[in-house]
Every structure is written in C-alpha cells, then in structure tokens.
Amino acid sequence: MAKKNAISAKTQTPAAKEKQVIAEFEKHIYDLQQMLEISKSFCSTIEFSPLIESILYVAMAQMRVTGAGLFISEEFGSEYFKLSENYSGIAIDPTIEYKIGIDSPLIEFLSSSSSVFDLHELSEKFPESQEIKVIESLNPSLIVPLMLKNHLNGILVMGERIFVENLSADYTTYEKNEIQTIASLASVAVHNASLIDQSTTDMMTKLRLKFYFYNILEDKLDSAFFQEQTLSVIMFDIDFFKKFNDTYGHACGDYVLK
C-alpha cells in the first residue's frame, strides 16, 4: 500500500499538485479566520462562567469530541486547580473530588512544557500519581495545558472523539497545533477574566464591588429595554452597623459582613 501511494504521488500531474497546494492554502486561510473569530469570542467575555462555557464548546467543535472539561484555579490564592462545574458532555464520578494541587509534580511538569499529551504519556511519566487517576476517570483523549508566559492558567481535558468516516480517531500534528493555539487564546482570556475578577471582588466578603455592579446593571438595563422586560434591584442594609462595630469591635463587624 505504501509503495502504491508513493508511485501515485510521483505520477501526480503538475496541475493536480497545484490544485492540492491551493486546497491546503485555502484550508490554512479558513483556519486562521476561525482562530480570529475564536479570539474575538474569548476576548469579548469577561465573566468566568460564560467564558468557560465558550472555551469548552469551541474546543469540542474544533476537535470533534463529545465533551470537554477545564481545571482552573477559581479563586485568588487557591491551592488547587478544580473542575467544579466547568465541563460539558463528560461523565462525572460523584465519589471523586476533581482537583489537582498547584504544587503537585504534574502541575510542575505541565507548566514547564509547551506540548499536549494523551493519558498514556502522562501515566508513564507519573505512574503512581493520584492526580493522573483523577484525570483518568474522565476518560480523556487529550490533555492540553493552558499556558501564558510560562504560567499555567488551566488544564483542558478533551473527551472521546466523534467517529467520522475516512478520518482517523487519532489527533494529527496539525490538530494538536490547532488545539494548542485555541488553548493559548483561552489562557489569555482566563488570565484577563481572573484579573477583572480580583479587581472587582471584595477579598473579605467575596462580594462584587460597586464598579462591577454598575457595569452589570448597565447591561441588564439595556437588555431589559430592548426586550421590553421589567427589571428589579434588591438592596440589603444592616441596621445600626456602626453601633455594632463600636460596641464589639471591627473583627466582629467583619464576621457579620461575611
């Protein structure tokens, strides 16, 4: 079969070769346009939940997989990358805690690499790793680090590939490069969303600050106006809070706020 293909390639006419080159060139242009649209989509979303959902659906569509999940550090100073609810189309075992320690050897390895991996490669590297067992339970077809300037912002786990006739179930080098590009764009978006999240969140109560509230309120008002819907705002207030602080101290006041 290999000999036959070699003979076929040698006997290919110049016109056929030119047609093939043009087809490949057109595919590259199409893929670049896709990446531009994906970049716009990621950059236009600053809230974590819609952003994660967008990343998962894009990865699933581009790589033709049945599901995907994303391990991320959801809070500033967190010691773990967590899956939480950041997945779609993946079967989750309720007895397993889907988190990976930031200081684990697996995270150190992924942070120092610019590659994508299948489960077999990581299992060979870390045969006794509990973190690998956690990932293994998701039955991944590919594990993709989200890297930005040598910093790991997340781990994208690709689910089972969808069978398509005349297409291999294995990832080609071109597809691996493509998902790495998507992961790079996703990593930038996750990093930016994290910075916005930190700058608009009160570290003590974990509540949003006034700046964030006004931005969201403006969006909701515009949406309500164009869709001709009503909008309500509920405000809570703590009566005599200053008196409580003065009587019991600010530490107790902070406890009440939390």
Side-chain angles (χ1 to χ4, degrees), residues 234-242 256-257:
I234 301 175
M235 187 183 79
F236 293 88
D237 188 31
I238 302 174
D239 293 336
F240 310 113
F241 184 67
K242 184 179 183 304
V256 170
L257 288 175

Side-chain angles (χ1 to χ4, degrees), residues 120-134:
H120 178 70
E121 290 172 316
L122 292 181
S123 297
E124 280 193 335
K125 184 75 177 176
F126 305 97
E128 303 298 326
S129 171
Q130 186 61 39
E131 286 83 4
I132 294 297
K133 293 178 181 178
V134 169

Side-chain angles (χ1 to χ4, degrees), residues 91-107:
I92 298 297
D93 186 341
T95 64
I96 295 177
E97 192 172 14
Y98 290 96
K99 65 180 185 180
I100 301 172
I102 284 180
D103 58 352
S104 71
L106 174 62
I107 295 301

Side-chain angles (χ1 to χ4, degrees), residues 8 13 29 90 112 147 186 189 201 219 241:
S8 176
T13 64
I29 291 176
I90 290 181
S112 63
M147 297 297 300
T201 303
D219 290 342
F241 184 67

Side-chain angles (χ1 to χ4, degrees), residues 222-254:
D222 289 342
S223 177
F225 177 79
F226 287 112
Q227 297 181 28
E228 298 183 350
Q229 295 177 338
T230 55
L231 180 70
S232 300
V233 177
I234 301 175
M235 187 183 79
F236 293 88
D237 188 31
I238 302 174
D239 293 336
F240 310 113
F241 184 67
K242 184 179 183 304
K243 185 177 180 181
F244 186 92
N245 260 343
D246 293 342
T247 304
Y248 300 104
H250 289 279
C252 288
D254 290 347

Side-chain angles (χ1 to χ4, degrees), residues 20-38:
Q20 183 180 352
V21 169
I22 291 174
E24 291 176 355
F25 184 68
E26 289 176 342
K27 175 173 171 50
H28 282 300
I29 291 176
Y30 174 78
D31 288 342
L32 286 172
Q33 289 173 335
Q34 286 284 93
M35 290 302 155
L36 181 60
E37 292 303 316
I38 289 170

